Amino acid sequence: MTRTLFHGLCAFPMTPADAEGHVEASAFAGIIERLVTADVDSIGLLGSTGIYAYLTREERRRAIRTASDITGGRIPLMVGVGALRTDSAVSLARDAAEEGADALFMAPVAYTPLTEAEIYQHYATVAGATSLPFCIYNNPSTTGFVFTGSLLSRLATVPNIRAVKMPLPANVSVETELSDLRAKSAGAIAIGYSGDWGTADAMLAGADAFYSVAGGILPREMLRMIRAAQSGDEVEVRRIDRSFQALWALFREFGSLRVVYVIARQMGLCDVAPPLPVLPLRDDAHTRIRDAVEEITAIAG
């Protein structure tokens, strides 16, 4: 199929690393190869599940190089370049471009709370550091910053900014928010969502893309839901989504990052722990996770 950046399923894989934060390239290559084989629309490298905030600049670069070597241009690579300092994010953006990234995305990582003026300048500077298309990573649950419609409208005019990754709306429907954002951005940016338990509603509402943690570990199953939504088959979307309900509950209870590490170990993809201070889940959660995945593969696989 013809691929368009910032559309369809963007799969966000984990980045296996040892206790010292060194990327385990062989295991990572295997994870990326699974996404290529599944034929996802794009790969969201070094997102929150990809532990970008816990990796050095050198290890981030190594991860991008490993993924680029595996994809070989077959699947677009969208790479996260979030950092506390603007100059650091600029350097990361240039590194990603040199290592083969096809697009960039960035969360507004901060310690000192940032104003809208500061966020605008930060994004304009980093987006202008390369010629690659750029996605705004709106992730208030980790950054504490909420992008307003007016700020997104301003950023939509910045050269290279082509998309936004939104959290699921809390007080309005996805349809209402999509309509509002598209009007405010004059249709200049693709609008996608994250928060896997909202995949069905967001894609059926007409979101351009879904940025999925589950897609990074269960790509075939998530693709079936995305493709059904793109074809307008709501019955099939809801059927597949029902098989994911136990996993969605686990994501909300424990955080998707911790759950994905358990799934990867159960699948034999890698045997690593989350980066400290994040602790691995206790054994009593593992059976629940295994059962949830088995339900998905039995129904949606």
Side-chain angles (χ1 to χ4, degrees):
M1 63 177 295
T2 301
R3 302 185 197 280
T4 304
L5 266 170
F6 313 126
H7 288 75
L9 175 64
C10 184
F12 274 61
M14 63 184 291
T15 307
D18 65 20
E20 287 72 44
H22 303 303
V23 174
E24 296 198 353
S26 178
F28 188 45
I31 290 169
I32 298 300
E33 186 61 55
R34 290 181 76 247
L35 303 183
V36 173
T37 299
D39 203 28
V40 299
D41 295 302
S42 60
I43 297 172
L45 206 66
L46 298 178
S48 299
T49 306
I51 63 168
Y52 76 96
Y54 300 89
L55 298 175
T56 65
R57 178 180 177 183
E58 293 74 18
E59 290 302 314
R60 291 197 202 191
R61 189 159 191 152
R62 185 168 177 235
I64 303 165
R65 186 183 312 121
T66 299
S68 182
D69 287 346
I70 295 298
T71 58
R74 292 175 290 173
I75 305 289
L77 282 178
M78 186 174 75
V79 176
V81 296
L84 282 169
R85 293 174 57 96
T86 300
D87 57 353
S88 297
V90 164
S91 296
L92 292 167
R94 290 172 177 161
D95 287 350
E98 290 173 5
E99 295 294 352
D102 299 292
L104 305 174
F105 67 98
M106 183 175 71
V109 182
Y111 179 81
T112 300
L114 300 175
T115 67
E116 289 200 356
E118 290 164 341
I119 290 290
Y120 177 85
Q121 187 60 51
H122 181 58
Y123 272 81
T125 300
V126 181
T130 77
S131 61
L132 294 178
F134 202 94
C135 177
I136 298 165
Y137 187 0
N138 184 2
N139 193 13
S141 65
T142 59
T143 66
F145 185 85
V146 177
F147 285 83
T148 63
S150 59
L151 177 57
L152 288 173
S153 179
R154 288 186 65 204
L155 287 169
T157 67
V158 174
N160 296 338
I161 292 183
R162 308 281 180 78
V164 61
K165 172 184 178 290
M166 294 290 292
L168 297 170
N171 301 314
V172 298
S173 68
V174 176
E175 293 94 334
T176 297
E177 184 175 80
L178 272 172
S179 178
D180 181 59
L181 289 175
R182 283 173 173 154
K184 287 179 176 176
S185 65
I189 57 176
I191 300 168
Y193 283 87
S194 60
D196 283 85
W197 47 91
T199 304
D201 288 342
M203 293 306 294
L204 287 169
D208 294 302
F210 208 89
Y211 300 94
S212 173
V213 174
I217 195 74
L218 298 167
R220 291 190 308 111
E221 294 80 0
M222 285 299 292
L223 264 176
R224 287 193 62 179
M225 193 190 316
I226 296 292
R227 295 291 181 257
Q230 289 175 322
S231 67
D233 188 349
E234 182 171 1
V235 172
E236 177 68 358
V237 172
R238 299 299 182 189
R239 184 188 73 85
I240 296 171
D241 185 51
R242 283 193 294 272
S243 75
F244 274 92
Q245 290 305 306
L247 184 64
W248 300 158
L250 289 161
F251 276 11
R252 290 192 291 266
E253 181 178 353
F254 296 118
S256 58
L257 175 68
R258 296 178 183 87
V259 175
V260 164
Y261 272 78
V262 176
I263 297 173
R265 180 172 292 178
Q266 290 176 345
M267 288 183 167
L269 299 177
C270 60
D271 187 13
V272 297
L276 292 172
V278 181
L279 295 175
L281 293 179
R282 298 182 310 183
D283 289 347
D284 55 2
H286 291 205
T287 299
R288 293 171 59 195
I289 293 170
R290 185 186 302 277
D291 290 346
V293 172
E294 287 179 353
E295 181 179 1
I296 293 165
T297 55
I299 296 175

